[in-house]
Amino acid sequence: SITIRRFYDKKNKNMWFEGDILCSPEAPLKSYLSLTSSGKIGNGKNPIQFSKAEKIVLGISDDHFGTRARGKSTVGIIVRNGIAYYDKTHAANKGRFPNLETLAVFKDGSMETYVSDAYSAEEYINMGAENVFAFGPILVKDGVADERLTKNYYYYKEPRMALGMIEPYHYVLLAVNGRTDDCKGVYLDWLADKMIELGAQEALNLDGGGTACLTFMGKRLNRTGSDIRVLHSMIGFGNSDQVGE
């Protein structure tokens, strides 16, 4: 079950989408990758075409790890569909952006956030993680907003993308427009507060700015005031042959 609602705060020039997603063991959250024939990270795809090609009902941009990998930057702990792709990260609690904190999605449908160097990729897999996304910062941990977000932690408005969990297999997302005349984006603490309002017990800030992309049935819903950025991976919910029709 997927419910998407759009909101517009005219006074504060803020538009956002709230997603409420109920998955199941038979239809879990999935990660989709753009890979070469040898299994390496490929050139990436337009997210609209990505969604259509993979028949993703609801698709969102993720941690955009492929750009860091291709740029030979520190990538973070990256696990996709039970396979470890990258295992080098930053030390915890450093003032970097992204700080490469993680959101792990486990086989039982639960999600949990961790500091960047809490576990290795192998340890996450041994713990039962199917996917580990690395970006950050953590927005919500154990139902509480991260206190760093109110202390000028990268305090500027941007288009944002966040994913969180209410309970196993019950997820929420936020996609916030920005960089346009009618929407300037939001601060990270706004994102955390809204996630808590929606019931999230765990939530992570994913890559925003020009990366943030929300698609439904092969059509893009959000806007970021820039050309659509090529993605090397996407998070998907649901699969249907009717996507793109």
Side-chain angles (χ1 to χ4, degrees):
S1 171
I2 295 170
T3 303
I4 300 293
R5 296 183 176 92
R6 183 180 66 179
F7 298 86
Y8 183 55
D9 178 353
K10 185 176 181 180
K11 179 180 178 180
N12 295 303
K13 291 189 174 183
N14 186 12
M15 181 180 288
W16 70 96
F17 296 82
E18 297 176 4
D20 187 281
I21 304 131
L22 288 170
C23 293
S24 69
E26 295 76 26
L29 174 155
K30 291 186 177 181
S31 183
Y32 295 87
L33 302 174
S34 174
L35 302 174
T36 65
S37 57
S38 61
K40 296 182 178 180
I41 302 303
N43 293 326
K45 300 177 182 178
N46 175 295
I48 296 173
Q49 299 305 319
F50 206 148
S51 296
K52 290 180 179 179
E54 300 291 351
K55 302 178 182 179
I56 301 170
V57 174
L58 176 67
I60 65 171
S61 50
D62 56 16
D63 53 18
H64 206 41
F65 80 92
T67 292
R68 296 194 296 279
R70 291 171 66 86
K72 302 189 184 305
S73 300
T74 301
V75 180
I77 308 299
I78 303 296
V79 176
R80 294 293 191 270
N81 304 313
I83 299 173
Y85 283 90
Y86 293 94
D87 202 32
K88 185 177 180 180
T89 190
H90 298 317
N93 301 315
K94 297 295 183 181
R96 302 172 182 268
F97 192 84
N99 60 10
L100 301 182
E101 292 178 334
T102 66
L103 178 69
V105 185
F106 294 94
K107 293 178 181 178
D108 65 359
S110 64
M111 290 180 174
E112 192 160 352
T113 54
Y114 298 94
V115 295
S116 55
D117 61 358
Y119 299 103
S120 68
E122 181 179 3
E123 287 172 328
Y124 275 117
I125 292 172
N126 290 339
M127 290 162 58
E130 287 284 289
N131 292 284
V132 179
F133 304 99
F135 200 80
I138 292 169
L139 298 173
V140 181
K141 179 73 175 176
D142 296 325
V144 179
D146 193 307
E147 63 179 12
R148 295 170 301 173
L149 305 180
T150 61
K151 297 178 179 178
N152 296 322
Y153 189 87
Y154 296 97
Y155 209 69
Y156 52 85
K157 291 184 176 182
E158 282 281 23
R160 305 286 185 186
M161 180 67 71
L163 179 63
M165 179 197 74
I166 295 176
E167 60 186 1
Y169 291 115
H170 190 181
Y171 310 127
V172 286
L173 67 86
L174 287 170
V176 183
N177 285 6
R179 299 181 181 178
T180 63
D181 290 340
D182 63 346
C183 187
K184 302 302 181 182
V186 298
Y187 299 114
L188 288 168
D189 60 345
W190 184 98
L191 208 60
D193 290 343
K194 182 61 68 174
M195 272 291 184
I196 290 174
E197 181 182 315
L198 295 174
Q201 298 301 301
E202 303 282 321
L204 186 75
N205 176 59
L206 298 172
D207 195 5
T211 300
C213 186
L214 172 66
T215 65
F216 183 75
M217 297 298 286
K219 297 181 180 180
R220 188 184 187 193
L221 300 184
N222 69 317
R223 293 290 180 269
T224 57
S226 61
D227 293 336
I228 194 166
R229 186 172 288 170
V230 165
L231 301 179
H232 302 88
S233 56
M234 288 189 76
I235 296 169
F237 303 94
N239 192 273
S240 173
D241 288 333
Q242 295 179 333
V243 172
E245 291 185 355

